[in-house]
Each structure stands twice: as C-alpha cells, then as structure tokens.
Amino acid sequence: MAAATDDAGDSNEMIRVVSSDGEHFEMPEAAANLSLVLRHMIEDDCADAAGIPLAVVAAKPLAKIVDYCTKHAAKSSGLTIEEAEELKRFDAEFIEVDTDMLYDLLVAADFMGVEGLSKLAVQRTADLIKGKTPEQNRETFGIVNDFTPEEEEEICKENEWAFQITKPPSRLC
Amino acid sequence: MSASDLPDELWARVLELGAASSALGFRDLCALAIACRRLRRLSLHPSLWSSLLSRDFPSQSQPSSSSASSSSQQQLHPKSIYKTKFERHKVRMAEARRRVVFEAEGRVLACWRRLAQLEESLQAEGEKMKAAAQELDNLERVRSASVALNVWQPQVVRGRQKQLVQQCTVPVDSRLNDLKMELKV
C-alpha cells in the first residue's frame, strides 16, 4: 500500500505496457491512470520494468490508445476554453479512422477501461450508422445478410412504416 | 476484425448511446433491424425504444411509460407503441397539411371570384365610357350648331341647325355630366 501511494505521488514515472503482439510502449503514469485496468495494476504494484502485458490489445490500436491517454492526461485538469476546444479537435481527428481500427479501439478501450475513448469510439460508430440504409450498413460494417429471403421480406414489411415518410398513410385515413 | 467480431455488449452500447445522444433515430434502428439477425435482436431492445418514445413523443409517453407499461408491457413492445404513435402523428400531420391546402384553395377561389367581378365592372365601365364619348360627340355637334345659329346662314342650313339645337334639351347639364363621367373612367 505504501508503494502504491509512492507511485501515485510520482507522476513523472513512465509506465510500460506490452501489446498482444509483443510491442513495448511507454506512457506517463498520469496517462496510464486514465485506463481503469492499468490504474488498478499500478495500484497493485504490478507495473514493473518488464511492462504490463495487455493480452487482447494489438500494437496498432495500443499505439493510438497511448496517444490518446498521453494527450488527455497532459490536459486533464483546469482547462481553459481554448484548451478544451483543442482537445475536442484532437478527439475529432483522432477518431477519423477506418472501421477496422474503430472496432479495435472499441474493444481495446472497453477492455482497458478508458472511459473517454470508449465513449468517443461508441459515438463514432453510432454516427456511422446514422442515416444509412440497411444495405449501406451492411457495406460499412461488413455485415452479412443472414436472413432467408422469406424472413427478409417479412422484416422489411415489419419495418416499412419507418421509411415511408412522404407517402400519406392512405389506408389509415 | 469485423463488425461481427464485436461483442453484443459493445453493439448494445453503441445503440444505447446513439439513441440517448439522439445520433440514432427510429429509422436508423429499423434500418439496422433489416441488416442482419443479430442487429435485429439488438435493435429491438425495449429500453432503446423507450428512450426514443420519451424523446420523440415527450408529452404522451410520460403516462404510458409509468402506468400503462407496467401493466401492458408484456403484450406491447415499445417499438410497436412507437409505431402506433408515429403513425398517428403522421395522420395528424397529413390532416394538418390537408387543412392548409384547403385553406389555400379557398383563398384562390375567393381571388378568382374577385377577379371575375373586377373584369365585369371593367367591362361595364368600358361601355359607360363609350356611351359617354358618344354623348359628348353629340353635344359637341349641338354646340357647334348653336354657335353657327348666331351668324348668318342660308335658310335651309339654319333651319336644320335650329332643329338640332331644339332637339337637345339639356345641353349644359349633360355636358357637365359627361365630363364627370370621363374623369371617373
């Protein structure tokens, strides 16, 4: 316990993490603390020179996450309006990724318990869904249509009410 | 990694947050329902539709979500409640639109009627003007005849002019009248 408080007091310390494919990353402890999992491990004194192994996070998304955490940890408290704006811009640019990376980030942020990033990725996914037709959704997210033709017809019928906005519902008049 | 590798839990969170932050609407959820089996199942989650209900129909959903849903939740999925409300709303919108069209048509009709009236009175005025011009013309002739009477003329001409002047009974009044009419036109 004493070691943990020591660690928490020393925010300059670098924390090492290891991706599932064996790549090493370093970030300041304040950044690592944005991840619930890393924070618990640091508190439990599991952060050693060998690095904390993250078994389900590959190097590519981990690099992004380290980026995100470092940026956000540096600007976590006492933000001016301009800094908040800049952070917002950073987020917007940060999440401009292809769907593969987006899934990786969704899963990794969820696994690591990085709440802000998790929310960002979830919101981005929701924004990608917005305004798309079923076919466009399948295309965007690589979804396979697993309905039988009969099922599909039924489901389309079941949901058609949502798509005929311009046509006046004559049978209901 | 593809969308199908994402755990249900994450998809559910996407839908939940999307519905809560109003990024996703009823049409998006319905579009997802058609995409594949899993998304259909996830998009049917009652809480999603409940939050859409309270967002899109705030005035009506309060009583139904507190009292009615507790008793009839098992029979009625929030999605079908949403659908019913949506369709009712659509009918109401259509009715409102129809009413507006009716009113506009009434206004157009009134304008047509007024136009016809105006055309009629224009025609009447035209005829009046023609009559006035005719009368003016006549009076003009009478006047020149009466002036001519004051100078010497052969008897025949004089007689004819006298007759013309005598025929005209109200020369001055008529002329005044005439001028007024012309002014009016």
Side-chain angles (χ1 to χ4, degrees), chain A residues 173, chain B residues 89-100 102:
Chain A
C173 300
Chain B
H89 173 73
K90 218 154 68 169
V91 171
R92 239 174 308 165
M93 293 302 278
E95 267 164 15
R97 251 201 315 273
R98 251 202 308 275
R99 219 175 302 129
V100 170
F102 272 145

Side-chain angles (χ1 to χ4, degrees), chain A residues 97-104 106 121-145, chain B residues 1-6 10-11 14-15 24 28 31-32 35-36 38-39:
Chain A
V97 294
D98 59 21
T99 47
D100 283 340
M101 179 54 100
L102 187 59
Y103 304 143
D104 286 338
L106 272 170
V122 163
Q123 185 66 53
R124 165 79 175 165
T125 316
D127 288 342
L128 282 180
I129 295 170
K130 190 184 170 67
K132 291 215 164 66
T133 64
E135 194 44 56
Q136 287 169 329
N137 271 324
R138 284 185 203 128
E139 233 170 77
T140 309
F141 297 102
I143 295 164
V144 180
N145 180 3
Chain B
M1 189 149 183
S2 77
S4 45
D5 298 326
L6 277 187
L10 277 175
W11 267 117
V14 167
L15 301 186
L24 298 180
D28 298 313
L32 277 181
C36 72
R38 187 160 78 122
L39 287 178

